[in-house]
Amino acid sequence: MVVVVIASFVVVGFVGAFVAEVLGLWFVPSIGFIAAFAVVLATYLSAPMRKLTSALVAMLVGAVVAWLLVQPSYFPASYGEGLAYEPTYLPIVVTYAGGLLGLLVSALLYRWVGPNNSFKPTPLRGAA
């Protein structure tokens, strides 16, 4: 599960950068949103048990990691030191929104699909 989550983070980071470049968006919030969404959803889909709990833990750990990586952010980031450098919380808010959306999609999948309890083998009688 850990390998899948890390791989999805890396792959989605490149995809998010490509999408941001094509659409002309700011890289940091775009990549953050897509990466947070993908990591939470990949955790839900790859967890062998307690899928929803695993997705919630991934979102909470990701929130701490995102805070350490993204804060503080400045816009526009391409200017040097000077008056144009303004602090902003937009990247972290958009990243958290991606994680929350991933958790919502995970909860909806859990509600619609749910755990598979259909297989109930008959117990063997007299087996030791």
Side-chain angles (χ1 to χ4, degrees), residues 1-80:
M1 178 177 91
V2 174
V3 173
V4 170
V5 171
I6 292 171
S8 69
F9 178 75
V10 171
V11 169
V12 168
F14 286 113
V15 171
F18 177 74
V19 168
E21 179 69 29
V22 168
L23 297 177
L25 300 173
W26 187 18
F27 281 103
V28 177
S30 302
I31 294 171
F33 180 87
I34 294 171
F37 177 81
V39 165
V40 171
L41 197 59
T43 302
Y44 173 79
L45 293 174
S46 65
M49 298 181 334
R50 300 179 192 216
K51 292 178 169 288
L52 206 52
T53 304
S54 299
L56 178 64
V57 168
M59 191 194 77
L60 294 176
V61 170
V64 172
V65 171
W67 181 264
L68 295 174
L69 291 176
V70 176
Q71 283 301 82
S73 291
Y74 295 94
F75 185 80
S78 60
Y79 290 145

